[in-house]
Structures are given as structure tokens and as C-alpha cells.
Amino acid sequence: KMGAVGQKDKALAKLKLICCDFWEVLKRRTVRMGHSTSIFILFGLPTSGKVTFPTTKGNWIPVAEHIIYGEGELVKQGYPPMTNPAIDELTALCEIAAEKYRTVQSLEGDLVRALEVVKKIRKKADKLIWEIMQELRFGMRHNTKSNQRRVMKHYGAEFEYYPKKNTEEDSDI
């Protein structure tokens, strides 16, 4: 999942860069060619041209889709298409970012489902472990303490020793 998240983040960062470039070039072109600032609305911008950024990374995909739609509408109205960055470049990056985003969302869903399964069987597993350890302790009740610890360590038990206590393995006190 870590690799998929990294790829998603890179794709969304590129998408953000292209969207910001697109807006900046659009604003300069509008001034240079004397177009009405009302065309900004087609690209999700106010007529002032002030850019507001999405609050989450995943929101850059709808922003890019809005820009793609706006460019299509503008070209239909007879305006020249943007060339740097070109809408084809933005479309390709939008598709890649959307795919990476969906992949991560799917992986996160898989993780949630796996954790739910673990949660369901956790109580049963803990109870089984407790019963096995009780049976093991009962079966070794006549052995020395050091032998009991050695066998229980073999079965995965971990011991913590308190300070100033005798921790010798062969101590039977």
C-alpha cells in the first residue's frame, strides 16, 4: 500500500501543478487577448481570477475535470485552445491521478475489511491462548520454576523481570 500511496501523491502533485499552470496561463491569455473575465467561471474560478485551492489532495481530480469541461466549452464557443499546458496533457494526468486515487481507496477498503476480520476472531484467539497456557502451567506444575519458564518461552511466552529480583534461570525461589 505504501508504494501505491506514494504513486498517488506524485500523480496528484503533478495534477495540481498543471491545474495551477493552466489557471495562470488562462489569466494571462485573457488579459493579453482582451477576452471577458466571465470565461473564468467555466474553469471553476471567480471572475476576479482569484485561485482557491482544494483542501484535500483528492479534490484536485474534480478541479481538473472542471478545467477540462471548461476548455471544451470555450473551444465550442470559438476561443482558441490552450497550448501551454495543453488540455491533452491535463486530461492524461487527470486520468492517471484518478486511477492511482481509486487504487489507494480500494487498498484502504481492503485494509479496513481485514482489520474487521481480525477484530472478530481476536477474542476467540485470546481465549484459546489463555486456555492453552493454563493447561501448560497445570501440566508443568511439578517442574522447577526455571524449567517452566524455559518451556513457556519455547511456546512464545515473554517474561518481564522486576528490578532487584533474582533473575537467575535456575533459581527455584
Side-chain angles (χ1 to χ4, degrees):
K1 181 182 171 195
M2 295 292 287
V5 170
Q7 290 176 357
K8 176 202 71 153
D9 288 346
K10 285 180 183 176
L12 289 174
K14 282 183 181 179
L15 186 63
K16 175 185 175 185
L17 180 68
I18 294 294
C19 287
C20 291
D21 283 353
F22 198 96
W23 284 330
E24 288 303 315
V25 172
L26 175 68
K27 289 191 288 187
R28 287 195 310 269
R29 184 181 85 165
T30 301
V31 170
R32 187 179 69 244
M33 299 181 94
H35 296 153
S36 169
T37 56
S38 64
I39 65 172
F40 291 158
I41 295 170
L42 290 172
F43 295 93
L45 297 173
T47 55
S48 67
K50 181 163 174 51
V51 176
T52 56
F53 295 106
T55 55
T56 61
K57 290 180 183 179
N59 286 346
W60 281 104
I61 296 168
V63 166
E65 290 170 345
H66 199 105
I67 291 172
I68 293 165
Y69 168 79
E71 176 71 359
E73 290 298 310
L74 213 59
V75 169
K76 285 181 191 174
Q77 294 175 17
Y79 288 89
M82 293 284 282
T83 56
N84 188 20
I87 200 67
D88 295 338
E89 183 181 0
L90 180 62
T91 303
L93 281 174
C94 185
E95 289 171 0
I96 290 169
E99 177 62 32
K100 302 289 183 193
Y101 191 78
R102 282 191 300 270
T103 300
V104 170
Q105 295 300 97
S106 172
L107 291 173
E108 286 175 356
D110 292 347
L111 176 63
V112 167
R113 285 187 291 280
L115 289 175
E116 287 173 358
V117 169
V118 168
K119 186 178 178 181
K120 286 179 183 176
I121 64 171
R122 179 64 194 239
K123 282 186 178 181
K124 290 179 183 177
D126 285 345
K127 185 178 180 202
L128 179 62
I129 290 168
W130 184 83
E131 289 174 356
I132 290 170
M133 292 308 286
Q134 289 301 98
E135 192 171 321
L136 189 60
R137 285 184 189 108
F138 180 77
M140 294 189 310
R141 69 187 183 282
H142 298 298
N143 293 358
T144 62
K145 297 287 182 187
S146 61
N147 193 37
Q148 288 176 13
R149 283 191 302 270
R150 183 182 53 75
V151 170
M152 290 177 77
K153 282 182 182 179
H154 176 75
Y155 281 97
E158 295 180 3
F159 296 93
E160 293 181 16
Y161 298 102
Y162 295 107
K164 299 183 184 178
K165 295 282 183 184
N166 189 358
T167 60
E168 292 292 321
E169 285 296 317
D170 33 40
S171 173
D172 291 329
I173 299 176

